Amino acid sequence: MTISSESSTAPTRMASAAGTETMHAVVYHGDGGKSWDEVPRPVIESATDAVVRVDAVTICGTDLHILRGDVPEVSAGRILGHEAVGTVVAVGSGTTRSVGDRVLVSCISACGNCSYCKQERYGLCQGGGGWILGHTIDGTQAEFVRVPFADRSTHLIPPDVSDEEALMLADIGPTGYEVGVLNGGVEPGDTVVVVGAGPIGLSVIQSARLFSPSRIIAVDRESARLDAAQRFGAVVVVDNTHDDPSAVVRELTDGLGADVAVEAVGIPETFELCTQLIRPAGRVANVGVHGKPATLHLEQLWPRDVTITTGLVDTSSTPMLLRLLQRRLLDTGRFVTHRFALHEFAEAYDVFSRAGDTHALKVVLTR
């Protein structure tokens, strides 16, 4: 079914296609509050839109940052979430997506026309895209979601890839690969240190292995996450509640430090630690979402020729990662540790937010 954005009957036709005019969603109420509320169903608003029935969805660490007030652009009343797998139930007249398509909903939306999109820098889209789902427009933690720029903001899922496997490429897969590994310039033979062994850090570890580093060192404060880091490919793990990561890295690198240090937490202390672990001419890739200022010790870094990168994921690598997943060169299913029904968001958030106690990596909620 095609619904023109100019048609005044679009909401009615959308309701007819999907069966009801309301749905339930996780609504942010400000000051850390959220609830599973009944809200209006999304409808086609633009010719390039698709409306997707959410079949599987997850919670991101960024959602926890929102609840802590670290992302003030998110206003009360916003539906949270920016990752999903689902089935297209309605489309605008300007998209090649079709009703019934099984799609991955990317965390980044791309207009495709602005100068940044033409460079595949979709995270910097100036045409109304970028990180908008669950940020500046309603997101995916809902029974249905409207996806703008559907052709570039959704990806068809191969039939031999499961919902759970594909869902891990909505955000953490391309984020770890692009913002951690590519920005960090990981090369064969490098020593790579990943500070933070949560889902993003584990994604960095998994995708860094594609470039054959000589060793990957994981640093965290939780023993369960360090165990996970070893399963994902770290050859050395450091519990920095007991051991000094700088001393460990220096010992393993003849006193020089790591070639690449990836910050995957999003607090000042871990960023500053990365700048201490890096060797002269090394590269620090910041992936974590920061809500507070971090001190940049330029007085120590400038004479050592250290490169520091930051960035929001572009998701330009998602099609390639899907191909690797389909060929079983990536194993994304092992990120999933807890499963819930779609309406069990309160319990899922509780489990995910207490990862130190629950050993949660990624939680998945399904219809």
Side-chain angles (χ1 to χ4, degrees):
M1 180 180 72
T2 298
I3 301 176
S4 170
S5 60
E6 290 78 24
S7 171
S8 61
T9 63
T12 301
R13 294 174 70 184
M14 172 62 195
S16 174
T20 178
E21 296 180 355
T22 63
M23 66 173 185
H24 284 84
V26 177
V27 179
Y28 175 60
H29 296 292
D31 298 325
K34 65 185 183 312
S35 57
W36 180 246
D37 296 345
E38 187 173 6
V39 298
R41 279 264 302 273
V43 297
I44 297 296
E45 298 180 14
S46 172
T48 59
D49 287 352
V51 174
V52 176
R53 183 192 72 199
V54 174
D55 297 327
V57 65
T58 186
I59 300 169
C60 181
T62 303
D63 298 317
L64 301 184
H65 281 282
I66 290 171
L67 294 173
R68 289 196 291 264
D70 293 342
V71 190
E73 299 86 2
V74 181
S75 57
R78 177 69 61 231
I79 295 173
L80 297 178
H82 51 267
E83 307 162 80
V85 165
T87 304
V88 175
V89 297
V91 295
S93 60
T95 175
T96 62
R97 292 290 175 257
S98 300
V99 171
D101 283 347
R102 178 169 167 255
V103 296
L104 168 65
V105 178
S106 176
C107 66
I108 297 295
S109 303
C111 78
N113 296 316
C114 71
S115 61
Y116 285 107
C117 282
K118 290 176 180 178
Q119 300 172 58
E120 296 189 336
R121 300 297 305 276
Y122 303 136
L124 300 174
C125 175
Q126 301 296 296
W131 174 35
I132 55 176
L133 291 172
H135 184 205
T136 59
I137 69 170
D138 287 336
T140 59
Q141 290 174 10
E143 294 178 299
F144 296 86
V145 60
R146 179 180 72 90
V147 184
F149 314 117
D151 281 3
R152 294 177 181 84
S153 307
T154 65
H155 302 273
L156 296 174
I157 302 173
D160 52 349
V161 171
S162 73
D163 285 358
E164 286 189 355
E165 290 173 325
L167 184 58
M168 298 302 106
L169 297 185
D171 186 345
I172 63 169
T175 296
Y177 178 71
E178 295 175 11
V179 188
V181 176
L182 294 187
N183 281 4
V186 176
E187 297 178 352
D190 276 353
T191 293
V192 179
V193 177
V194 180
V195 178
I200 289 293
L202 296 176
S203 176
V204 173
I205 291 169
Q206 179 172 250
S207 53
R209 294 181 65 195
L210 297 171
F211 293 81
S212 301
S214 63
R215 63 172 68 88
I216 301 174
I217 303 166
V219 179
D220 205 288
R221 303 172 68 89
E222 300 288 346
S223 60
R225 293 202 159 180
L226 291 173
D227 290 342
Q230 288 184 304
R231 295 196 301 272
F232 275 75
V235 296
V236 178
V237 296
V238 181
D239 182 342
N240 61 334
T241 60
H242 305 296
D243 299 312
D244 178 6
S246 295
V248 173
V249 172
R250 284 196 301 269
E251 181 178 353
L252 292 172
T253 59
D254 298 323
L256 285 174
D259 297 282
V260 181
V262 180
E263 197 286 329
V265 181
I267 59 175
E269 294 81 2
T270 50
F271 172 78
E272 293 167 29
L273 174 60
C274 283
T275 65
Q276 297 163 14
L277 298 176
I278 205 70
R279 68 173 59 198
R283 304 170 297 280
V284 175
N286 184 90
V287 186
V289 177
H290 289 264
K292 297 179 180 179
T295 301
L296 180 62
H297 287 284
L298 283 177
E299 78 282 2
Q300 300 172 11
L301 295 171
W302 77 264
R304 298 171 57 222
D305 197 15
V306 171
T307 298
I308 298 174
T309 63
T310 65
L312 177 65
V313 64
D314 293 311
T315 66
S316 57
S317 66
T318 302
M320 180 273 293
L321 295 174
L322 271 170
R323 291 193 297 272
L324 292 181
L325 176 57
Q326 189 176 18
R327 294 183 59 196
R328 302 301 157 188
L329 297 174
L330 289 178
D331 181 4
T332 59
R334 60 181 172 169
F335 282 97
V336 181
T337 55
H338 295 74
R339 296 169 176 86
F340 300 89
L342 196 59
H343 66 276
E344 296 177 316
F345 263 103
E347 183 180 355
Y349 261 97
D350 177 63
V351 167
F352 186 65
S353 66
R354 295 187 300 106
D357 299 322
T358 64
H359 300 172
L361 295 177
K362 291 295 283 185
V363 301
V364 171
L365 300 98
T366 54
R367 177 174 295 277

